[in-house]
Amino acid sequence: MKLVLLSGGSGKRLWPLSNDARSKQFLKVLENERGEMESMVQRVWGQIQGAGLADSTVIATSKVQVEILQNQLGSVPIIVEPERRDTFPAIALAASYLYSQKVSLDETVCILPVDPYVDDRFFDRIRDLEHALHASGANLALMGVNPTYPSSKYGYIVPEAEGGGEDFKRVARFTEKPSEDRAERLIEQGALWNCGVFAFNLGYMMDHLLRHGLPMQYEDLLARYATLEKISFDYAVVEKEDKIAAISYDGYWKDLGTWNTLTENMGLKQIGKGTISDDSSNTHLINELDIPVTIIGVSDAIVAVSPDGILVSDKATSPRVKDMVEAGQRPMYEERRWGWYRVLDYSKFEDGSEVLTKRIGLNAGQNLGYRKHMHRADTWTIISGEGILVKDGSIKPVKAGDVVTIEPGTYHCLKAFHNMEYIEVQKGAVVQEEDFEEMFSSWQDIERHCVSDKRAAYGRSAL
């Protein structure tokens, strides 16, 4: 069996901690058994490792989430979508990747979200999807959750009244977010919550691509990705399929997609600086800034503070935040493969020039890419740590207190020996994340290039 984890999300429902670059699955708000804070994706990946499934798992995500995945999980197999185009294109791309890696057409492929909040038995149960798929003769096998109450927030998998096997049911239809009264009647019929987990044989998906004139090879489909219809896998495939089986999972499962559901499972009432008064019952504070926040006499509330903004909301109405967040807002905090950065200030002057100030953390042993900027100059003030600066092929050590100036058109990078922090002031006619041309990303390539430059300039005898 091959597992494909889908990692997406626009980052609106848990604003201001989540944004376009840091969706809900990357927020480090869950306490693990060691008392450490971890994200949903870190928790799920640890469970997958514990179930012995990591070697069979790939993560499909958009290019904006690649670096934060690498930052939180390390070196994991990732399939990169050039852009977000909903779940059908993402699953099609993942299937074509497996096919191009010579995976058998008879291999079972299981698709699941990257952020379910479940107990470990969930991943043991996933293994049973392969048996259900073959024993039922179905083209799709789904895993549904045994409902614990009649919820109107979830979709339902409704089984046929008769038929099925010892460990699977044949699916009659789907009902999306019914009323609570309707949900209660569905539960009486044996309906399951749809948790977005399903499996198919790789050949099934390859046949689907062929029937719709889409390429089977990964590189070919990648080249056409921007032309694929933005459509969910449910609409494109599931709702048109007659032969579907389902198995049930009777353990703990929850969608931590809103502030009220997330805070129910955090384990901590407060993260970050601040104070909550004793008469503020069922109120949570999450503060990512160094400024203390005090809450007095406010109950059933969430107060979330980040560089992107401040949210003060009643928990019951907190899901409305997704409709109030301004579209296209620049993320003020991001995690990258090498560390993190936080925007401190932005100014635009009368002459049209822009100045952006960041605080940047570079993790020990990590390096920035060897790149140049076209339209801006950078000034770095090293706050802490030690490392190596590479500037137009020359290498020199840097430490706390050093100030470095990078002119436009100058190739440069930094590597940290120990955890390093520095202030970066960007100034130019245009200050944008996209303003760079990168030559190398790996430190080995950067070192090799610098040695080559020295040999070219001074000859081998000088080395």
Side-chain angles (χ1 to χ4, degrees):
M1 175 184 281
K2 299 293 183 183
L3 269 65
V4 178
L5 300 181
L6 298 182
S7 179
S10 60
K12 290 183 178 180
R13 292 194 292 170
L14 293 177
W15 186 91
L17 267 64
S18 63
N19 53 42
D20 281 343
R22 184 173 60 152
S23 300
K24 66 173 183 176
Q25 61 265 32
F26 301 114
L27 304 181
K28 294 182 180 180
V29 294
L30 301 176
E31 188 177 25
N32 62 24
E33 65 233 4
R34 299 182 299 277
E36 302 167 339
M37 302 309 295
E38 65 180 5
S39 67
M40 301 179 203
V41 70
Q42 288 174 317
R43 185 177 189 274
V44 166
W45 190 256
Q47 290 175 307
I48 286 175
Q49 288 177 316
L53 296 169
D55 291 342
S56 302
T57 302
V58 296
I59 302 176
T61 190
S62 63
K63 60 182 179 181
V64 298
Q65 292 187 3
V66 170
E67 291 202 16
I68 192 169
L69 276 167
Q70 293 171 332
N71 179 290
Q72 294 198 359
L73 300 182
S75 180
V76 296
I78 297 175
I79 301 169
V80 183
E81 307 162 60
E83 57 184 83
R84 291 171 175 163
R85 301 202 70 81
D86 218 324
T87 53
F88 172 76
I91 292 168
L93 188 66
S96 71
Y97 171 82
L98 295 174
Y99 177 75
S100 298
Q101 294 294 310
K102 309 301 182 185
V103 173
S104 168
L105 292 174
D106 295 327
E107 187 80 54
T108 299
V109 179
C110 179
I111 310 293
L112 64 155
V114 77
D115 56 359
Y117 192 80
V118 294
D119 57 40
D120 293 344
R121 290 184 298 128
F122 181 87
F123 295 96
D124 294 329
R125 188 66 170 139
I126 280 176
R127 296 177 185 273
D128 297 328
L129 279 170
E130 184 170 25
H131 171 74
L133 189 66
H134 297 312
S136 66
N139 289 322
L140 288 172
L142 282 63
M143 187 165 77
V145 177
N146 284 329
T148 53
Y149 65 98
S151 172
S152 61
K153 297 185 298 182
Y154 305 129
Y156 287 75
I157 303 168
V158 185
E160 292 181 355
E162 298 179 359
E166 289 185 4
D167 195 35
F168 67 87
K169 299 177 181 179
R170 299 194 185 280
V171 176
R173 66 184 188 280
F174 300 90
T175 300
E176 186 64 22
K177 297 182 179 179
S179 66
E180 290 188 7
D181 289 342
R182 175 64 175 152
E184 190 168 2
R185 291 194 296 272
L186 291 173
I187 292 172
E188 291 172 356
Q189 298 170 31
L192 305 169
W193 283 340
N194 191 346
C195 61
V197 177
F198 54 90
F200 50 77
N201 284 344
L202 181 59
Y204 174 76
M205 195 63 193
M206 292 299 100
D207 288 342
H208 186 92
L209 296 182
L210 281 176
R211 289 197 307 272
H212 290 80
L214 297 173
M216 298 169 64
Q217 292 294 334
Y218 173 71
E219 295 296 338
D220 297 334
L221 188 59
L222 195 64
R224 288 184 53 182
Y225 200 76
T227 69
L228 300 185
E229 182 183 4
K230 289 184 177 181
I231 187 171
S232 72
F233 191 85
D234 284 348
Y235 286 132
V237 179
V238 178
E239 292 190 359
K240 299 175 182 178
E241 178 58 60
D242 295 326
K243 300 172 66 176
I244 304 177
I247 64 173
S248 63
Y249 163 70
D250 62 359
Y252 190 85
W253 173 85
K254 203 156 193 179
D255 176 16
L256 305 187
T258 60
W259 279 117
N260 50 347
T261 56
L262 177 61
T263 51
E264 289 173 359
N265 295 274
M266 276 176 45
L268 296 174
K269 190 175 181 180
Q270 176 180 326
I271 299 174
K273 285 187 176 181
T275 304
I276 305 174
S277 66
D278 292 338
D279 59 346
S280 299
S281 63
N282 192 34
T283 287
H284 282 73
L285 168 64
I286 303 175
N287 183 8
E288 292 190 328
L289 300 184
D290 291 330
I291 303 170
V293 175
T294 301
I295 303 170
I296 302 173
V298 180
S299 299
D300 301 313
I302 173 66
V303 178
V305 183
S306 86
D308 280 22
I310 299 171
L311 171 69
V312 180
S313 174
D314 175 77
K315 286 185 178 179
T317 58
S318 62
R320 290 165 48 193
V321 68
K322 66 182 178 65
D323 300 319
M324 302 183 70
V325 176
E326 182 180 347
Q329 180 179 340
R330 177 186 182 136
M332 304 295 282
Y333 174 85
E334 291 193 47
E335 291 181 36
R336 297 294 182 87
R337 60 169 178 80
W338 39 260
W340 55 269
Y341 78 78
R342 177 176 294 166
V343 175
L344 301 178
D345 185 62
Y346 169 78
S347 301
K348 188 168 185 176
F349 298 96
E350 292 182 0
D351 62 359
S353 64
E354 300 175 65
V355 175
L356 182 72
T357 305
K358 293 180 177 180
R359 182 167 184 152
I360 299 176
L362 186 60
N363 294 335
Q366 297 295 319
N367 65 274
L368 306 176
Y370 191 55
R371 58 177 56 179
K372 65 179 179 181
H373 305 293
M374 311 300 179
H375 305 290
R376 77 174 202 238
D378 289 354
T379 301
W380 297 344
T381 302
I382 311 299
I383 300 173
S384 63
E386 298 179 355
I388 295 177
L389 169 70
V390 182
K391 187 175 176 182
D392 268 347
S394 64
I395 300 177
K396 72 171 186 178
V398 289
K399 63 183 186 307
D402 289 347
V403 178
V404 178
T405 301
I406 310 293
E407 298 297 334
T410 301
Y411 277 102
H412 61 281
C413 81
L414 193 63
K415 180 177 181 178
F417 291 147
H418 313 288
N419 286 345
M420 177 181 285
E421 288 194 24
Y422 61 99
I423 302 296
E424 177 180 86
V425 179
Q426 306 173 2
K427 184 176 182 180
V430 177
V431 174
Q432 295 178 340
E433 290 297 318
E434 298 79 14
D435 175 30
F436 69 88
E437 180 181 302
E438 187 163 283
M439 186 182 297
F440 304 111
S441 60
S442 79
W443 183 250
Q444 291 79 8
D445 290 338
I446 295 168
E447 277 192 316
R448 193 178 303 114
H449 172 75
C450 292
V451 170
S452 298
D453 274 4
K454 286 182 179 179
R455 285 174 174 163
Y458 304 114
R460 289 180 179 272
S461 61
L463 300 174

